[in-house]
Amino acid sequence: MKKPINITILLVLVLSIIHPIHAQNTESFRARFALNGGLTFKTSRAPMDNNVYYRDYLESVNQGLSASANMQFFIKDILCIGLNYDYFKKHSAAYIPLYYGEGSPILDIDNTYTMDFLSFSLGLHIAEGRHHYLFQYLIGFMDYKEKGNYSPYLTITAPNYSVGHCLGQGAMLNYDFLLNNHYALGIELTYFIGSIKKLNHQLDSSSKITSLSEPIRINRFSPKIGIRYFF
């Protein structure tokens, strides 16, 4: 008789754990907060009017680690609006020749490139039990910075701190799997587009704005994973 009693107790314990999760999954959530980390790959080529060696250097800083945070609010379960922040930073140092041929001066580049994207989102939220899917359109403010010792747009030798801004757009796809009543693990795929047409160079005691003959396109694809909290 002890064995059936033990099995009954085990079933009661399992059901007591599963039931609250299932009950919560059938209810509506009001909001979702997510933190993510992953990679970013810049999909656009470097401007062709730059030195060919410098373009090769820029290609080497097109990918690196990135992070994001976003908050979505659900409207009637299926619609969602939100705020999103995405961050990318890459530092690289290299020695490159200024032009082809023997005797070319060697340039020592040591720059850091930063991109920020703060956006508003609008999209769809589909929930199937523990599985949640979000499809969102992004639009907002995109910020680009170069900091170091070199800029091809400056005709003077000076430490480089250059900043550009533009309107950014993108799309974001999320898949979340609920672990319990509130916490979930998820995958985030985002694609952003932006085009910098002017750079503001911050000099020692002044600034200089340069209109670029060819825009700096900062289109990028970013896969990430992270943790979510559902309210």
Side-chain angles (χ1 to χ4, degrees):
M1 294 296 294
K2 287 186 177 181
K3 191 171 183 180
I5 293 175
N6 291 337
I7 294 176
T8 303
I9 294 174
L10 180 61
L11 287 173
V12 170
L13 290 174
V14 171
L15 289 174
S16 67
I17 295 173
I18 294 176
H19 176 72
I21 296 176
H22 176 73
Q24 180 65 53
N25 290 341
T26 59
E27 294 177 3
S28 298
F29 290 105
R30 294 172 298 170
R32 164 190 177 272
F33 177 73
L35 289 174
N36 303 281
L39 300 172
T40 284
F41 303 91
K42 189 163 173 280
T43 59
S44 54
R45 302 286 294 180
M48 295 301 293
D49 56 357
N50 286 328
N51 173 290
V52 62
Y53 295 108
Y54 182 64
R55 290 204 308 270
D56 291 341
Y57 165 78
L58 290 178
E59 294 299 328
S60 72
V61 297
N62 279 350
Q63 58 278 330
L65 298 178
S66 62
S68 69
N70 48 72
M71 183 82 184
Q72 281 79 32
F73 300 91
F74 302 133
I75 303 173
K76 296 186 181 299
D77 292 337
I78 193 170
L79 297 177
C80 60
I81 60 173
L83 292 173
N84 308 274
Y85 174 69
D86 197 274
Y87 177 79
F88 169 75
K89 183 177 181 179
K90 182 66 179 286
H91 168 263
S92 184
Y95 297 98
I96 64 171
L98 289 179
Y99 50 80
Y100 285 110
E102 296 183 2
S104 171
I106 301 298
L107 183 63
D108 177 12
I109 297 180
D110 190 355
N111 281 0
T112 298
Y113 301 85
T114 305
M115 286 180 283
D116 302 88
F117 185 35
L118 179 62
S119 62
F120 168 79
S121 67
L122 174 65
L124 298 176
H125 167 232
I126 299 174
E128 297 179 355
R130 295 191 186 187
H131 307 278
H132 288 251
Y133 307 88
L134 288 88
F135 310 88
Q136 298 177 85
Y137 165 72
L138 310 174
I139 185 169
F141 177 79
M142 192 169 281
D143 185 71
Y144 173 82
K145 298 185 183 73
E146 298 179 1
K147 183 178 181 181
N149 64 346
Y150 175 73
S151 170
Y153 310 104
L154 287 174
T155 57
I156 60 174
T157 301
N160 173 41
Y161 184 79
S162 302
V163 180
H165 314 289
C166 69
L167 177 70
Q169 299 182 73
M172 181 166 65
L173 307 179
N174 283 273
Y175 165 71
D176 300 339
F177 179 77
L178 277 170
L179 300 175
N180 55 32
N181 291 349
H182 296 286
Y183 287 96
L185 295 178
I187 300 171
E188 179 181 286
L189 300 177
T190 51
Y191 186 71
F192 309 118
I193 58 174
S195 181
I196 303 297
K197 298 180 180 179
K198 293 182 179 181
L199 282 179
N200 187 344
H201 308 284
Q202 305 295 319
L203 306 176
D204 290 339
S205 57
S206 62
S207 63
K208 175 185 178 183
I209 296 178
T210 302
S211 296
L212 309 180
S213 58
E214 185 177 351
I216 300 174
R217 304 191 186 279
I218 50 179
N219 307 349
R220 53 199 173 110
F221 171 68
S222 184
K224 305 183 188 72
I225 59 174
I227 189 169
R228 292 85 169 92
Y229 186 85
F230 282 80
F231 297 87

